[in-house]
Amino acid sequence: MIPDYLVDRSVLEVACGTGYWTQFIAPVVRKIAAIDINPRTLEIARSKNYPYGRVSLDVADVHHLPGRYRDFTGAFAGFWWSHLLRADRRPFIESLHRALGAGAVVVILDNRYVEGSSTPVSRVDADGNSFQSRRLADGSEYSVLKNFPTQAELVAELGGSGTGIEYTALDYYWVLKYEVAA
Ligand SMILES: C[S@@+](CC[C@H](N)C(=O)[O-])C[C@H]1O[C@@H](n2cnc3c(N)ncnc32)[C@H](O)[C@@H]1O
């Protein structure tokens, strides 16, 4: 479903992590520039197989996108939105749209909260951000920001800056697809 939305486009993938989604998107697009702030996840992403010459993997901060994506016609963000503070959503959208330009397709994929499957929310802060307590194999425990937006929230967040908005609720995931408005 995700690659199908991006066929023949030049795609900016934000917060690509280990390149899990990059490997499925790369075969159907013109090119994909995948960025992440963490060199260690990019190292793993570099070990994957991609069509020759079509994928670039670079360290970059999503909150300070370089202006080199003007000719890009698509963007993908997997499991990124849920880790954004509510206050950072609008600045993220604005900077992504500035980087891409009008008409680009944006595809965002993330988790729905599913009782009995999702890690329970351990606390909610004053701004409504929810956090989960996650334990690593070495026993260390971390409070991880993980928001579960509703469809209405997502649409409201876009305001007038997205057109042709399609929201799909799968059993465990939601997918938002739209075009950057002029
Ligand atoms: C939950 S992972 C998702 C990775 C990948 N998209 C996937 O679905 O497998 C979130 C990723 O966001 C990256 N990240 C966090 N803050 C970032 C930032 N400011 N700019 C770019 N990447 C960031 C992390 O390094 C991590 O790889």
Side-chain angles (χ1 to χ4, degrees):
M1 178 180 181
I2 300 296
D4 282 355
Y5 281 140
L6 297 165
V7 172
D8 285 340
R9 292 185 180 267
S10 299
V11 176
L12 166 64
E13 180 183 0
V14 299
C16 67
T18 59
Y20 178 81
W21 293 98
T22 321
Q23 68 188 328
F24 299 115
I25 296 168
V28 305
V29 296
R30 279 175 201 278
K31 63 178 176 183
I32 178 164
I35 61 165
D36 198 281
I37 204 163
N38 191 341
R40 291 177 69 188
T41 62
L42 282 173
E43 229 172 84
I44 298 171
R46 285 197 186 97
S47 70
K48 293 196 161 71
N49 286 321
Y50 307 106
Y52 181 76
R54 217 178 286 176
V55 177
S56 65
L57 295 154
D58 290 301
V59 174
D61 183 350
V62 166
H63 297 300
H64 299 96
L65 286 174
R68 67 171 91 108
Y69 306 110
R70 291 304 296 182
D71 64 327
F72 280 56
T73 51
F76 173 68
F79 305 94
W80 162 251
W81 188 271
S82 56
H83 297 293
L84 262 178
L85 286 167
R86 295 169 77 100
D88 288 339
R89 289 173 179 172
R90 196 57 215 166
F92 163 66
I93 289 285
E94 281 168 11
S95 105
L96 180 70
H97 290 189
R98 251 196 323 273
L100 293 168
V105 164
V106 179
V107 180
I108 304 177
L109 163 71
D110 221 303
N111 296 96
R112 298 180 68 194
Y113 187 83
V114 181
E115 205 62 58
S117 169
S118 305
T119 304
V121 168
S122 49
R123 77 182 170 91
V124 178
D125 73 10
D127 291 331
N129 295 293
S130 52
F131 294 80
Q132 297 170 328
S133 181
R134 295 191 188 172
R135 192 187 291 272
L136 297 187
D138 66 6
S140 57
E141 206 165 317
Y142 296 86
S143 180
V144 177
L145 170 65
K146 185 78 181 173
N147 281 318
F148 298 94
T150 61
Q151 176 179 358
E153 251 178 72
L154 288 165
V155 172
E157 212 76 58
L158 284 180
S161 63
T163 59
I165 301 172
E166 286 174 31
Y167 174 90
T168 308
L170 304 167
D171 287 347
Y172 294 92
Y173 308 103
W174 57 263
V175 184
L176 190 75
K177 183 231 168 199
Y178 65 89
E179 282 103 54
V180 177

